[in-house]
Amino acid sequence: MSPSVRPFAALNSPSEAPSVDEAPILHIDLDAFFASVEILDDPSLAGRPVAVGGGGDRGVVASASYEARRFGVRSAMPSVVARRLCPDLIMLPGRFDRYEAYSREFHRVVQDLTPDFEPLGLDEVFADLRSLRRLQVRPVAASVALRERITNELGLQCGVGLGRNKLFAKLASKRSKPLVVDGQLVAGPGVVWVSPALEARWLEELPVRALWGVGPATAAKLEKLGLNWVRDLARVDEATLAGHVGSAMAATLVAYSHGEDRREVVVDRRAKSLGHDQTFARSLQGLGEVVEAARSHAAVVARALRGHDRVARTISVVVRFDDLTSVSRSQTLSFGVDDEVAIAAIAEALLGSIEIHHAVRLLGIHASSFLERSQNQMQLTFGLDPASLDPREHAVLVSHDRQISHEALRDAVDEVRQRFGRAAVGTAGELRESGLDIETQRGRHAFGPETGHGGS
DNA sequence: TCTGGGGTCCTAGGACCC
DNA sequence: TCTGGGGTCCTAGGACCC
């Protein structure tokens, strides 16, 4: 059931146009973004069912054109299913450099309206309009102009939502979009404002699943409690709810059910982690193949870290088996790394502690606990008496070389192995037998269990 | 129909410090 | 002999978002 609230229908009525204080938060969402970029770059695709995503047996749809959606194709749907629903579906692998380029242009247009905006992924933005109060900016007029510029300058369609907070702005932008009804495409209103007077009516008709943060698992828990609608949440005891969904989620849900959302528009959100995951078309068999894959993963992560001018103190690995169970391991170092040999060494030691009992369909390596690269050495020395440090770690500090010392890294790898006991060491031995020792990669680093620094 | 890859945040338990 | 409470950091796993 959908809320019986008209979209903002009076764009030409100044008396109904909200002020910045009535509609301070704006949310824009580009329509079918990846698929639309593909169609712009290849106009022969226009009017045809196009999806971007993984094409193989294990792929999913990342973005689907409205023509594809008429057949029921949706984001996150397995590609196998999508092709079944739409045999003529044109499945494209995705060109993220292009999407990033369009995304930058998108942000440039938003920037012209206000610098107070927060991107979410490549195709969405929240903006806080309050700094425009004194410029007499009217949110609806600004939204209409924004849509026009995005259409004219980028060739992309989008929907805009306006509301008192992020919760309502996002609900509104969703309502602004085109809709597929009985296989037919119905145009959306383009700009929707949830006026404060109508907030309660919007919430009244909304299923819990429509709220930010409520996915399949939480929705199932709520359903068991008889909580299917947002209005049900408004009457629930928060402490009781917390017993089922955790205290943070309970507080958030109860607040949302009353139309309250304290989330700010955060302008300079900096990444807190960065990683690379890959699902293999053919699952990997045994530790040797997994370790080999980890090398190239480490190189990807290292490049990304350097691209962001960061070093990471924490390296994590995640392995997903064919039975879809996952295991992760992580290690936090006393220093940051951004070097593929170092990341590979830590990752391999962590992988050595995982029992590879099934074929491996996914491997991920992630980096977090960032330091500014320029701070790495200083961070270590600040407040520390070098005399209290392990002499080998001290060697890192006194070296002004950006590269973490051989010895410090070897100690870190040893620490991983100590944490996980003999099994990890034994597994590392297997690595050597499989000829995958890390010293093969660069020649001067060797982190075998007992070899010390070998190398050529 | 059977689940990607980029991320964020939360939780619970344990270690450690004061 | 048996036992505090708060705070921080780390780890593993889970859920969610685009």
Side-chain angles (χ1 to χ4, degrees):
Chain A
M1 185 185 299
S2 61
S4 59
V5 177
R6 285 175 303 132
F8 186 83
L11 299 182
N12 53 3
S13 163
S15 66
E16 285 196 46
S19 68
V20 160
D21 291 302
E22 289 171 304
I25 306 298
L26 175 151
H27 182 257
I28 323 178
D29 191 334
L30 301 177
D31 295 354
F33 178 51
F34 300 166
S36 298
V37 169
E38 295 298 336
I39 292 167
L40 282 172
D41 283 356
D42 179 0
S44 75
L45 296 173
R48 301 170 71 184
V50 174
V52 171
D57 290 347
R58 292 175 170 177
V60 303
V61 173
S63 172
S65 72
Y66 281 95
E67 193 58 38
R69 294 186 199 191
R70 288 183 51 202
F71 293 85
V73 176
R74 297 285 182 273
S75 292
M77 173 180 279
S79 303
V80 174
V81 181
R83 280 193 296 268
R84 189 167 304 141
L85 290 170
C86 180
D88 294 331
L89 184 65
I90 298 165
M91 194 78 193
L92 300 170
R95 300 175 302 145
F96 286 83
D97 290 353
R98 288 298 289 156
Y99 311 149
E100 283 168 5
Y102 271 91
S103 185
R104 283 192 292 272
E105 289 302 294
F106 169 43
H107 295 161
R108 181 182 56 75
V109 172
V110 176
Q111 174 89 38
D112 284 348
L113 172 64
T114 174
D116 302 334
F117 71 92
E118 173 187 347
L120 271 95
L122 297 178
D123 63 339
E124 293 185 23
V125 156
F126 279 111
D128 186 330
L129 303 179
R130 279 176 283 221
S131 66
L132 306 178
R133 192 182 282 125
R134 285 189 307 186
L135 300 176
Q136 309 278 323
V137 167
R138 305 300 287 192
V140 170
S143 301
V144 170
L146 206 50
R147 290 189 75 226
E148 280 178 8
R149 279 197 62 188
I150 287 167
T151 300
N152 294 340
E153 297 177 29
L154 280 73
L156 294 169
Q157 306 298 313
C158 65
V160 180
L162 292 165
R164 192 169 49 82
N165 52 33
K166 283 185 168 179
L167 171 66
F168 288 112
K170 175 98 179 166
L171 290 171
S173 76
K174 178 152 195 179
R175 189 63 60 77
S176 74
K177 306 272 238 166
L179 209 60
V180 173
V181 181
D182 297 330
Q184 295 304 309
L185 192 60
V186 179
V191 179
V192 171
W193 168 47
V194 182
S195 78
L198 293 179
E199 286 177 2
R201 283 177 56 193
W202 274 69
L203 295 177
E204 183 70 17
E205 306 286 342
L206 224 50
V208 290
R209 188 68 175 78
L211 294 177
W212 180 282
V214 179
T218 305
K221 284 183 199 167
L222 295 175
E223 189 183 350
K224 273 190 182 162
L225 297 169
L227 305 169
N228 297 303
W229 302 90
V230 173
R231 59 176 180 266
D232 299 330
L233 293 170
R235 292 189 289 268
V236 84
D237 174 59
E238 187 182 315
T240 307
L241 188 58
H244 294 89
V245 301
S247 58
M249 176 70 80
T252 300
L253 293 180
V254 169
Y256 287 175
S257 75
H258 292 109
E260 294 159 14
D261 180 0
R262 294 284 178 88
R263 290 174 299 166
E264 304 274 344
V265 172
V266 181
V267 174
D268 272 320
R269 214 178 262 284
R270 306 198 74 180
K272 295 179 174 173
S273 74
L274 171 167
H276 180 62
D277 296 78
Q278 186 182 0
T279 296
F280 304 101
R282 182 187 66 81
S283 293
L284 306 181
Q285 307 289 334
L287 186 62
E289 288 188 6
V290 177
V291 164
E292 194 171 2
R295 294 260 174 67
S296 62
H297 276 53
V300 171
V301 171
R303 268 197 303 275
L305 279 168
R306 293 193 293 264
H308 287 78
D309 222 26
R310 294 287 212 293
V311 297
R313 287 181 52 232
T314 303
I315 300 299
S316 317
V317 299
V318 57
V319 167
R320 179 138 75 230
F321 299 104
D322 271 355
D323 65 0
L324 293 182
T325 59
S326 295
V327 178
S328 67
R329 293 283 185 273
S330 69
Q331 171 80 359
T332 299
L333 314 169
S334 59
F335 50 85
V337 291
D338 67 354
D339 173 283
E340 66 188 80
V341 174
I343 293 168
I346 301 295
E348 290 177 30
L350 290 167
L351 288 168
S353 77
I354 297 175
E355 190 197 347
I356 309 291
H357 58 287
H358 280 89
V360 169
R361 65 178 285 142
L362 173 144
L363 171 68
I365 297 186
H366 298 259
S368 56
S369 308
F370 293 154
L371 304 172
E372 298 290 336
R373 181 147 40 136
S374 59
Q375 289 178 341
N376 195 17
Q377 308 300 332
M378 293 170 56
Q379 186 77 16
L380 284 166
T381 47
F382 182 75
L384 290 180
D385 173 9
S388 70
L389 294 171
D390 181 297
R392 285 177 296 190
E393 193 159 303
H394 182 50
V396 182
L397 305 184
V398 298
S399 136
H400 289 290
D401 191 340
R402 186 179 66 75
Q403 180 107 356
I404 296 303
S405 83
H406 196 185
E407 290 80 6
L409 180 54
R410 191 186 58 198
D411 286 354
V413 170
D414 284 348
E415 192 187 332
V416 175
R417 295 188 173 139
Q418 278 166 21
R419 275 178 52 212
F420 296 106
R422 304 182 71 85
V425 176
T427 315
E430 291 168 26
L431 287 193
R432 310 181 64 72
E433 288 169 23
S434 66
L436 290 170
D437 192 276
I438 193 162
E439 64 188 302
T440 59
Q441 184 148 354
R442 195 178 276 185
R444 60 194 182 86
H445 289 284
F447 307 108
E450 275 92 38
T451 52
H453 32 86
S456 40

